[in-house]
Amino acid sequence: MESKVSVSAQKRYVLFSIVFPLTWSVAFSVTRYSIPEEMKVGSVVANLAVDLGLGVDALSQRKMRLEMSTSKKYLEVNKDTWELYIIDKMDREYLCTNKMSCILKMDVFIENPLRIFYIELEITDINDNAPVFRRDKLQLDVSESATPGERFSLTNAVDPDAGENSISTYDLNESEHFTIEIQTGSDGAKYADLVLKKALDREQQAVHNLILTAVDGGVPARSGTASIIVRVLDTNDNAPQFDHQVYSVNISENSPIGTQVLKLNATDLDEGSNADIIYSFTFYTSEKTQEMFSLNPKTGEIQVKDVIDFEEIKILEMHIQANDNGQQPLSGQCMVMVFVTDVNDNYPEITIKSFNNVIKENVPVGTVIALVSVSDRDSGSSGIVDLAISDLFPFALNASSESLYQLTVSELLDRETTAEYDITVIATDRGTPPLSDNKTITVELLDVNDNAPQFPKSFYTIPVVENNAPGSLLGSLTAFDPDFHENQYLVYFIIEKEIVNTSMSMLFSINPENGDLYALKTFDYEREKEFLFHIEARDSGVPTLSSNVTVHIIILDQNDNTPLIVSPWRAHGSVVEEVIPRSTDKGHLIAKVIAIDSDSVQNSRVTYQFLQVPDATLFSLDQYNGEIRTMRMFSYRDPRHQRLVVIAKDNGDPALSATVTIKLSTVEHVVKAFSETSEIPLEYDIFSDLNLYLLIGLGSVSFLLLMTILVTIVLKCQKPKPTKATPPCRNSVVSQRSSTVADSTLVSNDAYWYSLFLAETRKGKVVVRQPIPKSGGYIVSSIPRSTGLTETSESAASTLQASTTSGSSA
């Protein structure tokens, strides 16, 4: 083991003896060892092979088992060296409680052949425990009449150690009145008695604090202490004493019964029942005086018991005695002189003759709510009484006779300001000094419905994100009514108002009890952007009062519309075919991609990117205006057919996008073909393909212009009608800018889109026919050009026109 101590280092702690009785068999012997308690784990007790006379080499092939008489195993045998060592500390006080000697028995079994050895291990005591008192605090009650020499038993201490390590003696701290005597019991235990050596006086010292110390005989010695509190019990050896022998006191005539005249105080230096004082009148006090005054036997308080009249008696004399409550009572005496003085001794009296304690808050000024009378038994100026109200209440006292007053309403009342009044009426006579009395009456106001409901704000703006769920809570519009009960119970309504033949109650709902506003449908920002209506709060009073508040619902946009590509024009599908000469210069405009988004400005900002480009060095794309230009001239290595895929992405979160595919073809001899065609006589070229395409283009433009003028005239002639939601169309899109795209025509009110259409395109320039009004829109139309190989870029360019929808042509 790691903590094992060498055999030589431990042998000095072990006492070894082997007993071999002559009458025993050779196989039976007792081996005894002796060790002190608390030895360290790993300490070697003995070498069994040596002590039992067995060879270690012979034992290495034999099995061995150690059994102990205790439930816990404290020792073990090393199978290699046959050393008996400690595996757990042994506490003698725990193993052998209340025993002078402590012996552990062990059996050692050795097989092949079987032999049994008996071992006894004696655990000797060390001084590892200090004396401990059974009670660390002891209280003794000793009478101050106790005589010196009296003995008092004290608590004893215990020490679990044995022999010299147990308690040896007791000590007491220095005391003038006490000492101790040590007694020895039949079992050798030491006890201490407390002895009184000087008489006690409780009045000088009521408590004595002593410290008793128990010391054992160990080396070094250990000790324990206990606190002894000696309380000195009192004996009746002191008589009560008054503060004064003669007391003088003045009292007014007709003092109320129970008025305190004087409180006597007598003291007794004793304690307990010996200091309990009882006050009483002596026989020298007249019966008339005892009838007029009472004396509290415990507190010494003298009070008025009957009416005192100055005209009958002016001086009263009382003789008081104080007795203690000892077994042999002692007493002291004093005299009290009472002088009666004449004063204004009658208080005014207030009587409520009639009283209406509940009135409505709208009673008229001057209404009588109470009749009050006053009286005073005194005469002269002491019998004249003035009546007043203590606070500045909306009430007044009006004298109707010499002693009768009317309490009336002096101002308009408002229950919402004050619901209840505690009116204190004060009556004061004109005596010297003046006497007064008061009486409080409570007036409760009943509520009338005089307050309309009030909203915290006169205008509520509630933002609502489009695509909301039907039935969602938009907000709470709660009004307050300061009235009471049914006058403050509010009901909420939506004031009906039609928008595009739709009433507000079909769009919104309000909880009539708490004012919670709900949406009944899902709103679309592209169709409706705001609603303005009124909410009314109505109370339940009679008559009913109400107020309303304006509610402004603002629909907030969500990015729920995908960009729509309106240029280049696509007749079928999403693929656009373009033809350009191969000799095109650097910076030439190939195509202009224009996309619109029906969402709000932030969500409709469209940027353009190449999704697929065959040669990044040949084409460039402006991310803001969608123009596709050449970055260099075509070379012979460049293929004749190019496929460009452009994606238009809006600025929403998440972003939505649309794509367009442009198939670009290059032609080598466009200029040459045009020159050869121009040399042919005119009469043979009049019905060529080029002329046919030009005629078709001019006819289309003329037709569109004529239709635009006719539509404008019709709209001018019609009367304005309420705006209606634009019905959905297969070829049109409605946005927050009131923009519509139908086939290849763009209508927009947004200057942002207008600025895009002004940019130069490969097909031509946008023509603005008149200034842009704030409320107008733009019509942008694009006529696709022919894809014939004999056309030039100048002669085959399409016309892109822009005009306002509400103005006339320039």
Side-chain angles (χ1 to χ4, degrees):
M1 295 180 63
E2 294 178 2
S3 61
K4 185 183 292 185
V5 182
S6 64
V7 176
S8 60
Q10 292 295 327
K11 285 186 176 180
R12 61 179 180 272
Y13 299 109
V14 179
L15 298 178
F16 168 74
S17 61
I18 302 177
V19 180
F20 291 99
L22 297 176
T23 59
W24 291 358
S25 169
V26 176
F28 179 80
S29 63
V30 177
T31 304
R32 174 170 291 183
Y33 301 98
S34 179
I35 63 172
E37 63 174 327
E38 303 290 345
M39 284 187 69
K40 293 182 180 180
V41 174
S43 300
V44 177
V45 175
N47 190 303
L48 296 182
V50 176
D51 296 340
L52 299 178
L54 303 172
V56 176
D57 296 336
L59 293 175
S60 61
Q61 303 299 324
R62 303 173 68 181
K63 294 183 180 180
M64 185 275 297
R65 186 175 72 256
L66 176 66
E67 292 186 359
M68 299 185 65
S69 59
T70 59
S71 59
K72 186 175 181 181
K73 197 169 185 179
Y74 291 95
L75 296 102
E76 187 59 85
V77 177
N78 189 319
K79 301 297 181 62
D80 297 328
T81 63
W82 281 77
E83 289 178 338
L84 182 66
Y85 62 92
I86 297 173
I87 62 173
D88 197 355
K89 281 189 177 183
M90 290 176 281
D91 186 3
R92 192 198 68 83
E93 288 75 29
Y94 173 77
L95 292 172
C96 306
T97 306
N98 299 326
K99 292 181 180 180
M100 293 301 296
S101 62
C102 183
I103 296 176
L104 297 182
K105 293 183 179 182
M106 296 174 288
D107 297 332
V108 178
F109 296 88
I110 300 176
E111 299 179 1
N112 300 321
L114 178 64
R115 293 189 64 183
I116 301 175
F117 297 92
Y118 301 97
I119 299 175
E120 292 182 354
L121 179 63
E122 181 182 8
I123 310 300
T124 60
D125 182 56
I126 63 173
N127 192 23
D128 57 344
N129 291 281
V132 178
F133 283 90
R134 299 180 187 275
R135 295 170 57 187
D136 59 354
K137 183 180 290 186
L138 177 66
Q139 292 186 355
L140 295 177
D141 293 333
V142 180
S143 175
E144 64 177 331
S145 61
T147 57
E150 285 195 32
R151 306 170 68 90
F152 306 95
S153 297
L154 299 177
T155 179
N156 66 305
V158 294
D159 192 330
D161 293 327
E164 295 180 353
N165 294 329
S166 62
I167 296 174
S168 173
T169 185
Y170 291 91
D171 292 328
L172 184 69
N173 64 317
E174 186 176 353
S175 174
E176 180 184 357
H177 296 84
F178 295 95
T179 185
I180 59 170
E181 289 185 2
I182 300 174
Q183 306 290 335
T184 303
S186 58
D187 57 352
K190 300 295 180 65
Y191 303 93
D193 290 338
L194 186 66
V195 180
L196 180 65
K197 65 179 181 179
K198 182 179 179 180
L200 302 172
D201 187 355
R202 192 203 63 81
E203 287 71 35
Q204 291 183 359
Q205 186 174 356
V207 178
H208 296 264
N209 293 309
L210 305 176
I211 301 297
L212 181 63
T213 303
V215 183
D216 62 20
V219 178
R222 293 175 177 265
S223 62
T225 60
S227 175
I228 301 174
I229 301 174
V230 179
R231 297 186 302 183
V232 181
L233 302 180
D234 183 59
T235 58
N236 194 22
D237 55 352
N238 293 280
Q241 296 291 330
F242 283 96
D243 295 340
H244 304 282
Q245 289 299 313
V246 178
Y247 295 88
S248 295
V249 62
N250 296 324
I251 188 170
S252 301
E253 65 168 328
N254 298 323
S255 295
I257 296 174
T259 301
Q260 179 176 313
V261 178
L262 179 67
K263 185 175 182 180
L264 299 173
N265 182 47
T267 57
D268 194 320
L269 298 179
D270 296 322
E271 71 171 0
S273 60
N274 297 325
D276 293 338
I277 297 175
I278 299 175
Y279 300 91
S280 61
F281 291 114
T282 67
F283 294 110
Y284 299 107
T285 304
S286 66
E287 294 182 359
K288 178 65 176 176
T289 301
Q290 294 186 35
E291 291 175 359
M292 297 175 63
F293 298 97
S294 64
L295 174 63
N296 191 314
K298 293 184 178 180
T299 64
E301 184 179 8
I302 301 174
Q303 294 181 342
V304 175
K305 189 170 68 173
D306 201 356
V307 177
I308 302 173
D309 192 354
F310 176 79
E311 286 70 29
E312 292 183 4
I313 188 169
K314 298 178 178 58
I315 300 176
L316 295 160
E317 185 177 305
M318 290 178 281
H319 296 270
I320 309 297
Q321 178 176 282
N323 296 328
D324 62 25
N325 201 24
Q327 292 184 351
Q328 296 179 352
L330 302 178
S331 63
Q333 295 182 354
C334 72
M335 183 175 64
V336 179
M337 301 295 295
V338 180
F339 298 92
V340 182
T341 59
D342 186 21
V343 295
N344 181 23
D345 55 354
N346 289 290
Y347 287 84
E349 295 182 359
I350 301 173
T351 304
I352 307 299
K353 296 292 186 181
S354 176
F355 177 45
N356 185 12
N357 66 333
V358 180
I359 61 175
K360 289 186 176 182
E361 63 174 323
N362 61 346
V363 295
V365 175
T367 302
V368 178
I369 60 173
L371 293 176
V372 183
S373 67
V374 293
S375 62
D376 195 319
R377 291 183 298 170
D378 292 329
S379 60
S381 60
S382 298
I384 301 174
V385 180
D386 298 318
L387 195 64
I389 298 176
S390 61
D391 296 312
L392 298 176
F393 289 147
F395 301 96
L397 282 171
N398 301 318
S400 59
S401 65
E402 184 177 350
S403 60
L404 189 63
Y405 293 82
Q406 292 180 346
L407 181 63
T408 62
V409 178
S410 61
E411 299 176 14
L412 292 177
L413 303 176
D414 185 7
R415 190 206 65 83
E416 286 70 40
T417 302
T418 305
E420 186 178 87
Y421 292 92
D422 291 328
I423 305 172
T424 302
V425 181
I426 301 175
T428 306
D429 63 21
R430 299 182 183 179
T432 303
L435 299 178
S436 63
D437 193 11
N438 64 79
K439 183 165 289 188
T440 300
I441 59 177
T442 301
V443 178
E444 180 182 355
L445 301 185
L446 294 180
D447 183 58
V448 296
N449 193 25
D450 57 348
N451 290 279
Q454 296 294 327
F455 286 92
K457 298 187 293 186
S458 60
F459 191 89
Y460 285 86
T461 300
I462 302 176
V464 180
V465 179
E466 68 170 329
N467 302 320
N468 60 292
S472 58
L473 177 66
L474 304 183
S476 182
L477 291 77
T478 305
F480 171 73
D481 194 324
D483 291 325
F484 198 51
H485 291 312
E486 67 275 359
N487 294 329
Q488 71 172 169
Y489 296 149
L490 304 182
V491 181
Y492 299 88
F493 304 91
I494 296 178
I495 300 178
E496 286 297 336
K497 176 183 177 182
E498 287 192 359
I499 298 180
V500 194
N501 297 327
T502 302
S503 65
M504 284 294 107
S505 60
M506 297 179 65
L507 301 176
F508 303 96
S509 173
I510 191 167
N511 189 321
E513 296 181 357
N514 56 24
D516 288 346
L517 185 64
Y518 298 90
L520 296 181
K521 60 165 288 186
T522 299
F523 296 112
D524 186 359
Y525 177 85
E526 287 69 41
R527 291 181 177 273
E528 53 257 331
K529 297 177 178 56
E530 61 180 2
F531 298 95
L532 195 66
F533 56 93
H534 299 282
I535 298 293
E536 179 181 297
R538 187 182 305 164
D539 62 24
S540 303
V542 179
T544 299
L545 299 178
S546 64
S547 64
N548 60 68
V549 65
T550 302
V551 180
H552 185 201
I553 304 294
I554 300 177
I555 308 302
L556 302 180
D557 182 55
Q558 277 188 331
N559 190 29
D560 56 348
N561 288 282
T562 303
L564 177 65
I565 296 177
V566 298
S567 177
W569 182 78
R570 297 166 293 175
H572 302 286
S574 61
V575 178
V576 177
E577 295 183 356
E578 297 288 348
V579 178
I580 63 171
R582 197 169 183 83
S583 59
T584 299
D585 294 332
K586 174 183 178 182
H588 182 75
L589 180 64
I590 302 299
K592 181 178 178 67
V593 180
I594 300 175
I596 63 172
D597 194 310
S598 301
D599 291 318
S600 65
V601 176
Q602 184 64 24
N603 292 326
S604 65
R605 298 300 185 190
V606 178
T607 57
Y608 305 91
Q609 294 176 352
F610 276 128
L611 190 62
Q612 180 179 337
V613 57
D615 189 347
T617 65
L618 183 56
F619 302 101
S620 67
L621 172 63
D622 192 302
Q623 65 173 337
Y624 298 108
N625 59 25
E627 292 182 353
I628 302 175
R629 295 180 181 272
T630 58
M631 297 176 64
R632 60 176 174 82
M633 295 184 64
F634 287 92
S635 67
Y636 68 92
R637 294 188 183 91
D638 297 323
R640 292 185 58 190
H641 301 285
Q642 305 276 351
R643 187 174 185 270
L644 306 178
V645 180
V646 178
I647 181 171
K649 185 183 299 183
D650 62 21
N651 196 36
D653 185 16
L656 302 177
S657 62
T659 62
V660 61
T661 301
I662 301 174
K663 287 186 176 180
L664 186 63
S665 301
T666 59
V667 182
E668 293 288 348
H669 306 291
V670 175
V671 177
K672 181 178 179 182
F674 177 77
S675 301
E676 293 175 355
T677 305
S678 62
E679 294 176 357
I680 301 174
L682 182 61
E683 59 271 20
Y684 300 102
D685 191 45
I686 190 169
F687 293 106
S688 65
D689 292 339
L690 177 60
N691 291 336
L692 180 61
Y693 295 150
L694 289 175
L695 287 175
I696 294 173
L698 290 174
S700 300
V701 171
S702 300
F703 177 75
L704 289 175
L705 179 60
L706 179 61
M707 292 301 295
T708 301
I709 295 173
L710 290 176
V711 171
T712 303
I713 293 172
V714 172
L715 292 177
K716 287 284 186 178
C717 295
Q718 288 183 347
K719 294 182 180 180
K721 294 182 179 180
T723 304
K724 296 184 179 181
T726 305
C729 178
R730 181 178 61 86
N731 295 322
S732 64
V733 177
V734 179
S735 72
Q736 70 179 45
R737 306 178 192 82
S738 301
S739 301
T740 304
V741 177
D743 295 332
S744 60
T745 302
L746 171 66
V747 180
S748 176
N749 289 337
D750 196 333
Y752 170 72
W753 296 111
Y754 171 67
S755 65
L756 291 181
F757 297 138
L758 289 179
E760 181 181 358
T761 66
R762 186 175 63 84
K763 300 176 181 180
K765 293 187 178 180
V766 173
V767 179
V768 181
R769 298 189 180 277
Q770 70 174 27
I772 306 163
K774 293 183 179 179
S775 62
Y778 311 108
I779 299 178
V780 180
S781 61
S782 175
I783 306 300
R785 66 179 178 85
S786 172
T787 59
L789 297 177
T790 60
E791 297 179 87
T792 63
S793 60
E794 290 79 15
S795 62
S798 301
T799 301
L800 186 62
Q801 298 177 342
S803 64
T804 60
T805 59
S806 61
S808 60
S809 61

